[in-house]
Amino acid sequence: MTRFITSTRVASIRSNASDDAGHDALYRRIAWRIVPVLLLAYIVAYIDRVNVGFAKLQMQDALGFSDAAFGLGAGLMFVGYCLFEVPSNLLLARIGVRKTFLRIMVLWGLTTVAMMFVTSTAQFYTARFLLGVFEAGLFPGVILYFTYWFPQHRRGRIIGVFMSGALIGNILAGPLSGAAMKFLDGAGGLAGWQWLYITQGVPAIVLGFVAYACLSDGPNQAHWLSMSEKATVAAQAGAASTERATLGQVAEALRSRQFRGFVWLNFMIVGASYTMVFWVPTLIKSWGVNDVFTIGLLSALPSLAGVFAVIGLSRHSDLHRERRWHFSGACLVAAFGLWLTTITQGQLVPSLAALCLATLGLASCLPILLAAATETLPPQLATVGIPLLTSLGILGGFASPAITGLINTRSGHPVYSMYLVIGLFIVSAVLMLRVLPRGK
């Protein structure tokens, strides 16, 4: 078997482009086999990350948490995520994909369900930190898993479909959370916010077993592929493999001024993004909307607008091969939209329209930033720089919500924390013009 695959790999690497096109049907079949389960898992994961922002509408008053305590707890998830992202991937290499995804999904699902038992800030902090620890390996694990199946020139579209799960999750999180809190409140003696965690934690547990049953550790273990198809996949995916990172490359990346600039940009954009995700339900409530289900529905509208922005602006940036002004322009649109929300307070329709405008810019920033980083960093830095960039940048999801919570506690109104987010977008717009060379 091994000799057959090795000899076929050499032949496949030498094949021409027309022969590669002949494998389209094979890769479509692979995509339909593995991507739906993983996409659904990422949607559920994203909902479980951000549902705390909706639970806050009932949970905070029930437990007596301050905005500062809530902001710190919401952000602690990203500390656990950052610390255990790499160890989780190392474990995946030892025990395989199916066992790893089973562990990840079941443990994060159980942690989400356990949030229903929280009664103190210490328990809240612990549960949010553990959620990050257990979910940390999903995203990098899936990206690694895709390299087992797809050659480099086919991975971009697959990764793009997978990453759309974040926007889909954001659209679904509001209505699902609002429905659980409104229509299940009091059922079985439990509060609506407790039912929120139950109904959104159980799917992750179920998906863990679904992934274990439906996925294969790799092409060689896929009983639904023929011997020749396994050989084709192994040959083409193997030809696109990259070098393993070294400590010297990590040090070189950290010494690069441009790389550090990208890290700061990612840190600020991620921080701004999750600050909005966590506090938008509270912001909408401050506009006079008291029904939790209505708040959930309204909070989905900005994310829906963001889906079209990601597709449109990213495509425009690709067509014109320009990143600097597309990124900076998106940041300024986000800042302007948030500024409009601060001067239209108390007016639901204008404020919601302004929030949709802000999300048009916000949703477009990160894909353009990552595209710019992959295109600009030297190959020896890109090999380790991109995963390092995402690991360090995710800490913005801890810092910004925590600071926002302190601002809201001291000011007594969520609108003032929006000035922090506005500042992050403006600084990011200016910094990108300095980090990225002209013509990029």
Side-chain angles (χ1 to χ4, degrees), residues 238-262:
S241 62
T242 57
E243 296 179 3
R244 189 168 293 183
T246 65
L247 290 177
Q249 289 174 320
V250 173
E252 184 180 357
L254 293 174
R255 286 195 298 267
S256 166
R257 179 178 297 179
Q258 186 178 60
F259 176 78
R260 294 198 301 270
F262 282 129

Side-chain angles (χ1 to χ4, degrees), residues 56 63 71 75 105 216 230 250 253 281 351 374 381 407 410 426:
K56 175 182 180 291
L63 302 182
M105 296 179 198
S216 306
K230 292 178 182 180
V250 173
S351 296
T374 57
L381 295 188
I407 294 174
R410 291 183 177 274
I426 293 175

Side-chain angles (χ1 to χ4, degrees), residues 38 81 83 97 161 177 196 198 243 264 313 321 323 336 362 390 409 425 438:
L38 298 173
Y81 193 100
L83 292 176
V97 169
V161 171
S177 299
L196 179 154
I198 295 172
E243 296 179 3
W264 278 113
L313 194 63
R321 299 185 180 183
R323 307 298 185 192
F336 180 68
L362 169 64
T390 57
T409 297
F425 281 123
R438 293 182 183 273

